[in-house]
């Protein structure tokens, strides 16, 4: 991973971005409740052995993540099918509801969306809106078996989630088909992975400073808001053209701006420390400040228009399990 102990200077200021987001918009996001179980940066609770493993292999994990990311290519995958963008949005929102209801791991949702989009890209079948239900159910099933400690069982998928609309045989046949189409490639990278990588790097390399400044809870809040934003933009397939690492950085910057705008305990010294870390990871990730700023504006604009998704994607705002404070 990165090493933020290195000396760094930059003219970049997150404050320039804040003007793009109205105070009302930032407050609304800050008051929004996340559609997932509470997430903690486990570095605060991990054993010394686990911390040592991250320190030793973190750089390799980051490099491998970049390699995985480079293997994905932007594609207008919906153009190959008679499948409307609205149908995919509904399915992604439904996935948020399912994984919230079963308290799955945060990464399960993002893997599930990756599997869905990869299948839509690679399948030779011409798909229609009525096909999305079974495909989505099976993607949920596969992702849960890959990521969750207590994965969903067939009875959950068939009866609880699918309401017995599809037989077990049909579900298993579609599972085999999807796995074959994506070449059993379930080792993928997504925005949540990079959010976690960047925040682990901050915590591992700065444990004493985090404790000195007493900003652990601030970092947890940045993580929660970042994950919420990452889920939000997953609703729109046009964000697939952006690299996951850039989306993760942008979500972190927006989360930091929201924290700065609304926290009463983030003083100038703490704020400066977090800002300098963000400046550093942007540089080390190979992006320019303009790259982040352009996507920042797009994400903020998307959130400002989120009300138009309320009918087709209600779950992001309504599946409540932990509240941003």
């Amino acid at each position: 991973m990165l090493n933020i102990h290195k000396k760094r200077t930059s003219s970049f200021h997150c404050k320039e971005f804040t003007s793009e987001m109205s105070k009302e918009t930032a407050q609304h996001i800050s008051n929004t409740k996340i559609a997932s179980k509470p997430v903690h940066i486990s570095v605060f609770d991990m054993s010394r052995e686990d911390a040592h493993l991250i320190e030793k292999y973190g750089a390799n994990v980051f490099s491998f993540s970049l390699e995985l990311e480079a293997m994905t290519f932007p594609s207008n995958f919906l153009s190959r099918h008679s499948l409307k963008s609205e149908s995919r949005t509904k399915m992604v929102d439904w996935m948020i509801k399912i994984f919230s209801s079963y308290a799955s791991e945060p990464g399960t949702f993002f893997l599930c969306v990756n599997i869905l989009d990869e299948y839509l890209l690679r399948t030779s079948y011409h798909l229609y809106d009525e096909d999305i239900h079974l495909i989505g159910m099976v993607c949920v099933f596969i992702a849960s078996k890959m990521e969750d400690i207590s994965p969903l069982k067939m009875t959950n998928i068939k009866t609880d989630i699918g309401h017995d609309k599809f037989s077990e045989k049909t579900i298993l046949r579609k599972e085999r088909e999807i796995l074959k189409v994506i070449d059993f490639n379930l080792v993928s990278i997504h925005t949540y992975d990079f959010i976690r990588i960047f925040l682990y790097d901050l915590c591992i390399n700065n444990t004493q400073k985090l404790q000195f400044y007493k900003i652990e809870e601030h970092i947890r809040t940045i993580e929660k808001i970042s994950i919420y934003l990452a889920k939000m933009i997953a609703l729109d397939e046009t964000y697939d053209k952006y690299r996951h690492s850039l989306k993760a950085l942008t979500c972190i910057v927006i989360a930091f701006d929201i924290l700065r705008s609304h926290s009463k305990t983030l003083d100038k010294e703490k704020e400066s420390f977090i800002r300098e870390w963000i400046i550093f990871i942007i540089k080390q990730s190979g992006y320019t400040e303009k790259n982040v700023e352009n996507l920042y504006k797009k994400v903020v604009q998307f959130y400002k228009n989120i009300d138009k998704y309320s009918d087709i994607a209600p779950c992001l705002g309504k599946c409540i399990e932990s509240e941003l404070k």
Side-chain angles (χ1 to χ4, degrees):
M1 276 186 278
L2 312 176
N3 184 348
I4 74 170
H5 291 307
K6 295 178 181 178
K7 185 177 180 181
R8 57 230 185 253
T9 58
S10 173
S11 60
F12 170 75
H13 295 287
C14 296
K15 190 175 291 185
E16 297 172 5
F17 291 169
T18 311
S19 61
E20 299 296 331
M21 176 182 288
S22 69
K23 195 167 186 179
E24 292 78 13
T25 299
Q27 182 67 59
H28 193 181
I29 295 178
S30 189
N31 290 337
T32 302
K33 299 182 179 181
I34 308 174
S36 69
K37 66 179 180 178
V39 180
H40 301 291
I41 301 174
S42 58
V43 69
F44 293 130
D45 308 309
M46 70 171 56
S47 67
R48 184 176 300 178
E49 180 181 357
D50 289 338
H52 175 70
L53 288 174
I54 291 178
E55 287 181 304
K56 185 174 181 179
Y57 298 108
N60 294 333
V61 170
F62 184 62
S63 297
F64 180 64
S65 298
L66 292 177
E67 290 177 12
L68 284 177
E69 184 181 45
M71 293 168 61
T72 60
F73 300 96
S75 174
N76 185 14
F77 49 84
L78 290 185
S79 65
R80 303 180 62 248
H81 308 288
S82 298
L83 182 65
K84 295 191 292 289
S85 175
E86 179 179 310
S87 297
R88 179 194 172 277
T89 297
K90 286 181 178 179
M91 175 49 60
V92 172
D93 191 64
W94 180 76
M95 290 171 174
I96 291 174
K97 178 180 180 180
I98 295 303
F99 289 126
S100 174
S101 299
Y102 286 91
S104 294
E105 297 299 313
T108 310
F109 164 76
F110 292 97
L111 174 60
C112 188
V113 175
N114 275 12
I115 295 170
L116 172 66
D117 291 347
E118 185 75 7
Y119 174 73
L120 294 177
L121 171 65
R122 296 186 181 279
T123 184
S124 59
Y125 291 105
H126 189 81
L127 300 171
Y128 299 86
D129 288 336
E130 55 265 29
D131 297 318
I132 195 69
H133 188 194
L134 176 60
I135 295 169
M137 281 175 51
V138 175
C139 289
V140 166
F141 195 25
I142 295 171
S144 182
K145 288 193 285 187
M146 280 295 294
E147 291 289 323
D148 292 333
I149 296 174
S150 299
L152 296 173
K153 298 178 174 60
M154 175 58 77
T155 184
N156 300 129
I157 298 296
K158 178 179 176 295
T159 303
D160 302 339
I161 296 174
H163 306 293
D164 292 312
K165 182 177 180 179
F166 303 102
S167 67
E168 182 174 332
K169 184 177 180 180
T170 299
I171 294 170
L172 291 175
R173 184 168 58 245
K174 178 59 72 173
E175 181 182 25
R176 287 193 295 269
E177 182 209 330
I178 290 176
L179 289 171
K180 185 176 180 180
V181 166
I182 68 173
D183 198 24
F184 291 84
N185 183 18
L186 297 172
V187 180
S188 61
I189 194 74
H190 39 69
T191 308
Y192 170 71
D193 285 329
F194 278 106
I195 290 173
R196 185 171 55 179
I197 287 170
F198 292 138
L199 292 175
Y200 270 160
D201 178 71
L202 168 65
C203 296
I204 286 292
N205 287 324
N206 297 272
T207 302
Q208 292 182 346
K209 287 188 176 180
L210 291 176
Q211 293 173 348
F212 175 78
Y213 287 129
K214 294 181 173 58
I215 56 174
E216 291 96 334
E217 287 306 314
H218 295 308
I219 302 304
R220 292 185 196 274
T221 299
I222 288 175
E223 182 193 37
K224 290 179 183 179
I225 299 174
S226 298
I227 293 172
Y228 169 80
L229 293 169
K231 287 183 175 183
M232 181 187 75
I233 61 178
L235 293 171
D236 187 340
E237 74 280 356
T238 62
Y239 284 92
D240 278 10
K241 68 181 181 181
Y242 295 98
R243 288 181 177 267
H244 292 295
S245 53
L246 177 58
K247 288 187 284 189
L249 285 169
T250 303
C251 289
I252 287 173
V253 172
I254 297 175
F256 175 52
D257 276 355
I258 293 171
L259 177 68
R260 292 189 316 118
S261 299
H262 302 289
S263 175
K264 296 180 180 180
T265 59
L266 186 69
D267 58 33
K268 293 296 182 182
E269 193 173 18
K270 297 174 183 178
E271 179 183 322
S272 177
F273 173 76
I274 298 174
R275 179 189 289 109
E276 285 300 305
W277 166 70
I278 291 175
I279 293 169
F280 182 75
I281 60 172
I282 290 174
K283 283 187 172 183
Q284 292 296 301
S285 299
Y287 295 109
T288 66
E289 295 162 11
K290 194 66 176 177
N291 292 146
V292 177
E293 184 176 7
N294 288 341
L295 184 54
Y296 182 110
K297 292 177 180 178
K298 184 176 175 66
V299 173
V300 169
Q301 190 60 43
F302 180 73
Y303 184 81
K304 287 180 178 179
N305 296 325
I306 198 67
D307 286 347
K308 74 178 184 179
Y309 288 87
S310 59
D311 291 336
I312 62 174
C315 297
L316 184 65
K318 293 182 179 178
C319 292
I320 300 172
E321 196 159 332
S322 63
E323 186 173 358
L324 299 179
K325 295 181 179 181

